């Protein structure tokens, strides 16, 4: 049973018995203080590198040497196709010291509202009716102020934000743990590669690049097998082309990109999937090796970026002794197993948040019951 299905089953008995709490219909402009006048765009050529996040419409786009905002603020995209596609959040929080350009509105909750609550409330809204511009969608300040929300009393807003925030905080902590684990594996790999007793060979002597297969969206069947394109995961299918975890390399599009895929998967025709063709050459070893070869710089097609298989396989590589590769593989497989456990937990946490969000916003679920469900999911 998927995390979402399990959570729906677990939560249904709670939600069915809940009655709506009091909500007041309000304009977003009446619940917030705008800080848009303090925004300042800076051309990329004029930015000085530094420790402070520089935000745009979809989040952090750079780091600079100064800041103009401090403390917790709500950022909402002002323009860009993402306002329609919603591939990334359009409402998100920024805290600490940071800079914002003129592509994101900057708000704080007033005495009637909680800034964190507003971030969740706006993000789950359909904003399409407030947008202007046929080519470049835009959410003007006036339109943003007119967005309507049904909001509970401030204390309940804060409690809702606390429940949902606990789930997001756990997801963020798990994501940081995953990043650190991959970094440690890469450090271990570099130690293996820098050791003595290396043999000079070519990539093609130890690995092969196999062509992925076409799988248009119309041909995909419902399932839990990851479909992998040159840019990474691009959906799911019922059957696998590769029946084990492994490495996929971008062939067209994001040419030369290197992806680790947990579990069976289906690499499509814009990719190569990688096989070791010598005993002891494991998938984890090949993944880290390929990341060092700068395959993304081997573009041989000016119109559509492409990776030439023959040229890639002709690249020289230094091969450590078999015992060192085996030792690395054992350590890497243990760490990858940990990463996969954390990834599964994050999927459950995200499914819990997505289930609770509309129920809490509508008042159909009380905070106390939401806390019980969130705790069961691991928050």
């Amino acid at each position: 049973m998927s995390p979402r299905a399990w959570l729906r089953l677990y939560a249904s008995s709670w939600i069915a018995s809940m009655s709506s709490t009091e909500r007041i219909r309000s304009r977003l402009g009446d619940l917030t203080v705008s800080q848009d006048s303090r925004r300042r765009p800076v051309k990329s050529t004029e930015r000085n590198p530094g420790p402070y996040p520089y935000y745009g419409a979809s989040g952090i786009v750079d780091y600079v040497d100064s800041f103009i905002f401090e403390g917790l603020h709500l950022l909402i995209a002002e323009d860009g196709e993402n306002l329609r596609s919603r591939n990334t959040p359009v409402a998100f929080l920024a805290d600490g010291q940071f800079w914002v350009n003129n592509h994101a509105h900057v708000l704080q909750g007033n005495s009637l509202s909680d800034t964190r609550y507003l971030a969740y409330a706006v993000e789950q809204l359909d904003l399409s009716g407030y947008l202007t511009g046929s080519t470049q969608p835009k959410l003007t300040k006036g339109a943003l102020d007119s967005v309507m929300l049904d909001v509970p009393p401030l204390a309940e807003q804060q409690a809702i934000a606390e429940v949902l925030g606990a789930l997001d905080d756990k997801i963020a902590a798990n994501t940081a743990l995953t990043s650190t684990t991959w970094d440690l594996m890469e450090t271990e790999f570099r130690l293996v590669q820098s050791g003595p007793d290396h043999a000079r060979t070519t990539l093609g002597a130890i690995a092969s690049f196999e062509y992925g297969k076409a799988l248009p969206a119309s041909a995909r069947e419902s399932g839990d097998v990851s479909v992998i394109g040159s840019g990474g995961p691009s959906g799911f299918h019922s059957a696998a082309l590769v029946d084990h975890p492994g490495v996929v390399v971008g062939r067209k599009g994001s040419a030369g990109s290197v992806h680790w895929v947990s579990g069976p998967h289906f690499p499509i025709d814009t990719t190569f999937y990688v096989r070791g063709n010598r005993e002891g050459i494991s998938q984890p070893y090949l993944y880290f090796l390929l990341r060092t070869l700068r395959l993304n710089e081997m573009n041989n097609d000016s119109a559509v970026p492409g990776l030439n298989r023959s040229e890639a396989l002709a690249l020289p590589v230094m091969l450590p002794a078999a015992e060192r590769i085996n030792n690395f593989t054992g350590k890497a497989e243990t760490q990858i197993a940990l990463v996969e456990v954390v990834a599964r937990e994050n999927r459950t946490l995200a499914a819990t948040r997505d289930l609770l969000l509309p129920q809490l916003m509508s008042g159909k679920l009380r905070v106390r019951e939401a806390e019980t469900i969130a705790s069961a999911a691991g928050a």
Side-chain angles (χ1 to χ4, degrees):
M1 181 180 293
S2 69
R4 182 175 291 275
W6 178 85
L7 285 161
R8 287 193 182 281
L9 180 64
Y10 181 86
S12 60
S13 60
W14 290 106
I15 295 172
S17 63
M18 295 299 103
S19 58
S20 296
T21 56
E22 181 183 358
R23 295 290 192 272
I24 299 176
R25 192 156 183 79
S26 305
R27 296 169 67 254
L28 183 60
D30 295 330
L31 298 170
T32 57
V33 177
S34 173
Q35 306 286 346
D36 279 5
S37 62
R38 298 173 55 199
R39 303 176 301 176
R40 245 172 49 208
V42 182
K43 295 179 181 178
S44 59
T45 55
E46 298 175 359
R47 296 176 205 154
N48 296 318
Y52 303 107
Y54 180 92
Y55 284 91
S58 296
I60 297 173
V61 296
D62 205 350
Y63 287 85
V64 294
D65 65 345
S66 187
F67 62 92
I68 52 178
F69 292 98
E70 189 167 12
L72 185 67
H73 291 71
L74 168 60
L75 275 55
I76 301 175
E78 180 171 336
D79 50 34
E81 176 55 35
N82 189 55
L83 279 167
R84 285 205 183 99
S85 63
R86 306 293 286 263
N87 290 323
T88 60
V90 298
F92 47 93
L93 296 171
D95 201 0
Q97 298 169 324
F98 55 94
W99 196 291
V100 184
N101 65 23
N102 60 342
H103 295 290
H105 296 290
V106 184
L107 309 171
Q108 285 183 305
N110 60 22
S111 61
L112 301 174
S113 63
D114 180 81
T115 302
R116 296 176 305 161
Y117 172 87
L118 292 176
Y120 290 111
V122 173
E123 178 58 22
Q124 59 99 38
L125 287 177
D126 178 5
L127 297 173
S128 58
Y130 297 96
L131 304 181
T132 58
S134 57
T135 304
Q136 175 81 332
K138 187 175 181 66
L139 181 61
T140 66
K141 175 65 167 59
L144 182 64
D145 283 346
S146 71
V147 169
M148 300 302 296
L149 295 171
D150 294 318
V151 295
L154 179 60
E156 186 174 347
Q157 292 179 44
Q158 293 168 337
I160 289 172
E162 190 71 25
V163 173
L164 298 173
L167 291 162
D168 277 334
D169 287 347
K170 179 63 173 176
I171 291 171
N174 282 348
T175 301
L177 173 62
T178 295
S179 179
T180 299
T181 303
W182 282 113
D183 288 345
L184 290 173
M185 284 189 278
E186 186 158 5
T187 299
E188 182 69 21
F189 173 81
R190 293 187 182 279
L191 289 174
V192 170
Q193 289 297 104
S194 64
D197 303 325
H198 283 68
R200 188 175 180 84
T201 185
T202 64
L203 179 60
I206 63 171
S208 63
F209 284 9
E210 308 295 337
Y211 285 101
K213 292 188 177 181
L215 186 65
S218 59
R220 298 178 191 180
E221 300 174 351
S222 179
D224 57 4
V225 174
S226 292
V227 176
I228 311 297
S230 64
S234 63
F236 295 92
H237 187 47
S238 60
L241 181 61
V242 179
D243 63 2
H244 54 76
V247 186
V248 175
V249 174
R251 183 177 72 86
K252 292 287 186 181
S254 299
S257 57
V258 181
H259 307 282
W260 175 262
V261 188
S262 298
H265 51 285
F266 197 112
I268 62 174
D269 55 352
T270 59
T271 69
F272 299 114
Y273 59 96
V274 183
R275 285 180 173 169
N277 56 16
R278 182 184 294 187
E279 186 177 355
I281 303 299
S282 66
Q283 291 288 313
Y285 178 80
L286 286 172
Y287 170 72
F288 286 99
L289 177 65
L290 291 171
R291 281 167 54 91
T292 69
L293 298 182
R294 298 182 178 179
L295 298 178
N296 60 319
E297 298 177 7
M298 299 179 65
N299 175 21
N300 286 310
D301 190 330
S302 58
V304 180
L307 177 66
N308 184 287
R309 177 168 67 166
S310 297
E311 291 183 6
L313 294 177
L315 288 171
V317 297
M318 300 300 292
L319 193 65
E323 182 179 358
R324 293 175 64 82
I325 294 176
N326 289 339
N327 287 340
F328 169 78
T329 297
K331 294 177 182 178
E333 288 177 344
T334 299
Q335 295 302 310
I336 289 171
L338 170 63
V339 166
E340 292 173 355
V341 168
V342 171
R344 286 194 295 272
E345 182 179 39
N346 267 8
R347 287 193 292 271
T348 299
L349 291 165
T352 304
R353 178 200 59 209
D354 295 344
L355 172 65
L356 296 181
L357 179 56
Q359 303 294 337
L360 286 167
M361 292 299 161
S362 66
K364 293 179 180 178
L365 184 66
R366 296 193 187 103
V367 172
R368 184 170 52 197
E369 283 73 31
E371 289 173 342
T372 300
I373 296 170
S375 177

